[in-house]
mmCIF file of all heavy atoms in Angstrom:
data_model
loop_
_atom_site.group_PDB
_atom_site.id
_atom_site.type_symbol
_atom_site.label_atom_id
_atom_site.label_comp_id
_atom_site.label_asym_id
_atom_site.label_seq_id
_atom_site.Cartn_x
_atom_site.Cartn_y
_atom_site.Cartn_z
ATOM 1 N N LYS B 49 28.093 -17.292 -57.395
ATOM 2 C CA LYS B 49 26.880 -17.431 -58.212
ATOM 3 C C LYS B 49 26.040 -16.158 -58.151
ATOM 4 O O LYS B 49 26.167 -15.363 -57.213
ATOM 5 C CB LYS B 49 26.068 -18.648 -57.732
ATOM 6 C CG LYS B 49 25.577 -18.547 -56.300
ATOM 7 C CD LYS B 49 25.080 -19.911 -55.803
ATOM 8 C CE LYS B 49 24.565 -19.790 -54.374
ATOM 9 N NZ LYS B 49 24.257 -21.108 -53.790
ATOM 10 N N TYR B 53 26.214 -12.705 -55.629
ATOM 11 C CA TYR B 53 25.069 -12.260 -54.836
ATOM 12 C C TYR B 53 24.735 -10.788 -55.136
ATOM 13 O O TYR B 53 24.330 -10.025 -54.254
ATOM 14 C CB TYR B 53 25.316 -12.467 -53.332
ATOM 15 C CG TYR B 53 25.457 -13.914 -52.883
ATOM 16 C CD1 TYR B 53 26.113 -14.848 -53.663
ATOM 17 C CD2 TYR B 53 24.932 -14.350 -51.668
ATOM 18 C CE1 TYR B 53 26.244 -16.177 -53.261
ATOM 19 C CE2 TYR B 53 25.056 -15.679 -51.252
ATOM 20 C CZ TYR B 53 25.716 -16.581 -52.052
ATOM 21 O OH TYR B 53 25.852 -17.894 -51.657
ATOM 22 N N ARG B 148 17.591 -31.778 -53.001
ATOM 23 C CA ARG B 148 17.645 -30.706 -54.001
ATOM 24 C C ARG B 148 18.569 -31.086 -55.146
ATOM 25 O O ARG B 148 18.183 -31.037 -56.302
ATOM 26 C CB ARG B 148 18.109 -29.403 -53.331
ATOM 27 C CG ARG B 148 18.063 -28.209 -54.243
ATOM 28 C CD ARG B 148 18.525 -26.939 -53.559
ATOM 29 N NE ARG B 148 19.974 -26.883 -53.382
ATOM 30 C CZ ARG B 148 20.640 -25.775 -53.057
ATOM 31 N NH1 ARG B 148 19.979 -24.643 -52.839
ATOM 32 N NH2 ARG B 148 21.948 -25.786 -52.910
ATOM 33 N N HIS B 177 25.494 -30.539 -49.209
ATOM 34 C CA HIS B 177 25.079 -29.191 -48.805
ATOM 35 C C HIS B 177 24.114 -29.285 -47.632
ATOM 36 O O HIS B 177 23.233 -30.157 -47.613
ATOM 37 C CB HIS B 177 24.401 -28.494 -49.999
ATOM 38 C CG HIS B 177 24.193 -27.028 -49.817
ATOM 39 N ND1 HIS B 177 25.190 -26.163 -49.429
ATOM 40 C CD2 HIS B 177 23.086 -26.260 -49.988
ATOM 41 C CE1 HIS B 177 24.709 -24.926 -49.369
ATOM 42 N NE2 HIS B 177 23.434 -24.949 -49.702
ATOM 43 N N ASN B 212 28.761 -24.548 -46.059
ATOM 44 C CA ASN B 212 28.572 -23.200 -46.609
ATOM 45 C C ASN B 212 28.987 -22.209 -45.518
ATOM 46 O O ASN B 212 29.609 -22.599 -44.526
ATOM 47 C CB ASN B 212 27.105 -23.016 -47.023
ATOM 48 C CG ASN B 212 26.161 -23.071 -45.834
ATOM 49 O OD1 ASN B 212 26.502 -23.626 -44.788
ATOM 50 N ND2 ASN B 212 24.987 -22.491 -45.975
ATOM 51 N N SER B 213 28.634 -20.934 -45.657
ATOM 52 C CA SER B 213 28.999 -19.929 -44.644
ATOM 53 C C SER B 213 28.627 -20.392 -43.247
ATOM 54 O O SER B 213 29.455 -20.400 -42.331
ATOM 55 C CB SER B 213 28.253 -18.614 -44.904
ATOM 56 O OG SER B 213 28.619 -18.053 -46.125
ATOM 57 N N ARG B 228 32.735 -23.642 -48.411
ATOM 58 C CA ARG B 228 32.196 -22.928 -49.581
ATOM 59 C C ARG B 228 31.317 -21.750 -49.161
ATOM 60 O O ARG B 228 30.114 -21.761 -49.393
ATOM 61 C CB ARG B 228 31.345 -23.884 -50.440
ATOM 62 C CG ARG B 228 32.001 -25.202 -50.824
ATOM 63 C CD ARG B 228 31.092 -25.998 -51.761
ATOM 64 N NE ARG B 228 29.750 -26.157 -51.248
ATOM 65 C CZ ARG B 228 29.324 -27.173 -50.490
ATOM 66 N NH1 ARG B 228 30.154 -28.144 -50.172
ATOM 67 N NH2 ARG B 228 28.074 -27.213 -50.077
ATOM 68 N N GLY B 230 29.442 -18.189 -49.281
ATOM 69 C CA GLY B 230 28.996 -17.096 -50.149
ATOM 70 C C GLY B 230 28.561 -15.951 -49.254
ATOM 71 O O GLY B 230 29.290 -14.985 -49.014
ATOM 72 N N ALA B 231 27.365 -16.093 -48.682
ATOM 73 C CA ALA B 231 26.712 -15.022 -47.932
ATOM 74 C C ALA B 231 27.610 -14.296 -46.927
ATOM 75 O O ALA B 231 27.620 -13.059 -46.876
ATOM 76 C CB ALA B 231 25.489 -15.604 -47.212
ATOM 77 N N TYR B 360 20.035 -12.858 -48.438
ATOM 78 C CA TYR B 360 20.393 -13.383 -49.755
ATOM 79 C C TYR B 360 19.466 -12.798 -50.832
ATOM 80 O O TYR B 360 19.902 -12.409 -51.910
ATOM 81 C CB TYR B 360 20.230 -14.901 -49.805
ATOM 82 C CG TYR B 360 21.079 -15.749 -48.885
ATOM 83 C CD1 TYR B 360 20.937 -15.694 -47.508
ATOM 84 C CD2 TYR B 360 21.994 -16.648 -49.415
ATOM 85 C CE1 TYR B 360 21.687 -16.514 -46.677
ATOM 86 C CE2 TYR B 360 22.749 -17.473 -48.586
ATOM 87 C CZ TYR B 360 22.585 -17.396 -47.220
ATOM 88 O OH TYR B 360 23.322 -18.211 -46.413
HETATM 89 C C1 PLP A 29 24.883 -21.146 -52.499
HETATM 90 C C2 PLP A 29 25.666 -22.320 -52.084
HETATM 91 C C3 PLP A 29 26.738 -22.176 -51.183
HETATM 92 C C4 PLP A 29 27.016 -20.892 -50.465
HETATM 93 O O1 PLP A 29 26.063 -20.757 -49.421
HETATM 94 P P1 PLP A 29 26.080 -19.528 -48.405
HETATM 95 O O2 PLP A 29 25.004 -19.858 -47.454
HETATM 96 O O3 PLP A 29 25.790 -18.315 -49.213
HETATM 97 O O4 PLP A 29 27.428 -19.484 -47.796
HETATM 98 C C5 PLP A 29 27.531 -23.291 -50.934
HETATM 99 N N1 PLP A 29 27.262 -24.484 -51.514
HETATM 100 C C6 PLP A 29 26.212 -24.656 -52.353
HETATM 101 C C7 PLP A 29 25.962 -25.996 -52.931
HETATM 102 C C8 PLP A 29 25.377 -23.587 -52.654
HETATM 103 O O5 PLP A 29 24.328 -23.779 -53.466
#
Side-chain angles (χ1 to χ4, degrees):
K49 62 193 181 188
Y53 295 38
R148 186 180 75 166
H177 192 51
N212 65 338
S213 297
R228 309 184 308 269
Y360 298 65

